[in-house]
Amino acid sequence: MKKSIYSLLLLDSVVGAIDSIAYSSGTSRSNLINRILAEYLSYTTPEMRMKSIFEELERQIAGIEAFQKQPQPSDSMFSFRSLLRFKYNPSIRYSVELYPGALPKFGELRVSSRTQSEQLLEVLDSFYADFARTEQSFSCVNNAETPTHYTIGEGRFSRPLYIHSATVAPDENSLGRAIGTYICMLDNAMKGYFEHIDNPPAATAALRDAYARYIRTSPLLL
């Protein structure tokens, strides 16, 4: 959404109070003033929309012991991690970036690990490739109109976030729940895969079972 520069004549004391609140909130003076004016006018800005989505996503993961919220790098990103039962209990980081534009493409999911283990990186890449094939096969069955593109390599995975299954634009709470549901499914699929790491057919079956449950039970598919 387009932004422009405007000149305003404000009291120094008002600007000082604005700066103090902006600093404590981790945002800029311009973003805070924009938000205050939008709230006064009952107008939803892209930043307010993102905040509502992330608040719902945080509620989704708050009751799940496996997830731990991480420091957030910006207002448009939300990150948390999950421990993987493997050598030295490596952590998997999930990062969601939201875009200010319109649906159907509204963000990106990135998954990574800081491990230096070549074995773990190899298995992670194998899982992500298997997961992408599984998701694409289910998308074909469900006639998803938007193709999903994946980036996989060196233990990292990313994909755009699309809305495939809604006839009307979902609200912020629905999007937050949908993101949380998708990441929970991905995390469960990964852990099921690693539980059968020595039996590739069983590992793939565990992955597909997790995705099949997601397809059956989720009202909003990403």
Side-chain angles (χ1 to χ4, degrees), residues 11-222:
L11 291 173
D12 290 343
S13 56
V14 172
V15 174
I18 288 288
D19 287 346
S20 178
I21 296 173
Y23 178 80
S24 62
S25 301
T27 189
S28 67
R29 175 196 295 171
S30 295
N31 281 341
L32 180 58
I33 293 175
N34 195 65
R35 188 173 73 200
I36 291 171
L37 292 175
E39 290 174 351
Y40 182 82
L41 296 170
S42 298
Y43 176 78
T44 301
T45 67
E47 290 78 14
M48 293 165 65
R49 173 177 169 272
M50 292 177 188
K51 184 174 183 291
S52 295
I53 292 172
F54 286 147
E55 285 175 347
E56 181 60 34
L57 173 57
E58 185 170 4
R59 282 192 288 270
Q60 288 287 302
I61 69 169
I64 302 176
E65 185 177 352
F67 293 139
Q68 181 181 46
K69 182 181 175 182
Q70 299 290 285
Q72 307 309 321
S74 73
D75 292 341
S76 64
M77 296 191 70
F78 187 90
S79 301
F80 55 97
R81 69 173 187 166
S82 173
L83 294 181
L84 188 61
R85 290 185 179 179
F86 194 69
K87 295 178 181 178
Y88 313 115
N89 291 325
S91 64
I92 302 298
R93 179 184 175 94
Y94 297 96
S95 297
V96 177
E97 180 179 6
L98 297 181
Y99 302 150
L103 300 174
K105 183 178 179 180
F106 67 94
E108 183 174 358
L109 170 65
R110 304 184 187 101
V111 189
S112 61
S113 175
R114 297 180 64 181
T115 182
Q116 300 298 315
S117 168
E118 291 295 334
Q119 181 188 10
L120 177 56
L121 292 174
E122 182 178 343
V123 178
L124 282 172
D125 286 350
S126 176
F127 164 75
Y128 294 139
D130 209 351
F131 179 85
R133 286 191 294 269
T134 297
E135 184 160 60
Q136 288 174 328
S137 68
F138 276 93
S139 295
C140 290
V141 171
N142 288 278
N143 298 316
E145 296 181 359
T146 307
T148 301
H149 302 283
Y150 306 88
T151 302
I152 298 171
E154 299 182 353
R156 297 176 180 270
F157 170 91
S158 67
R159 57 150 292 187
L161 294 174
Y162 294 101
I163 292 298
H164 289 302
S165 61
T167 55
V168 296
D171 60 23
E172 288 81 6
N173 287 343
S174 296
L175 282 175
R177 286 192 295 271
I179 297 170
T181 299
Y182 185 88
I183 294 176
C184 285
M185 174 275 296
L186 178 57
D187 193 67
N188 288 333
M190 184 186 300
K191 288 172 179 174
Y193 192 92
F194 271 77
E195 285 179 3
H196 302 283
I197 194 171
D198 296 322
N199 186 345
T204 299
L207 188 166
R208 291 185 67 85
D209 286 346
Y211 199 88
R213 287 194 299 273
Y214 166 72
I215 290 289
R216 289 195 304 269
T217 60
S218 300
L220 194 61
L221 303 180
L222 302 183

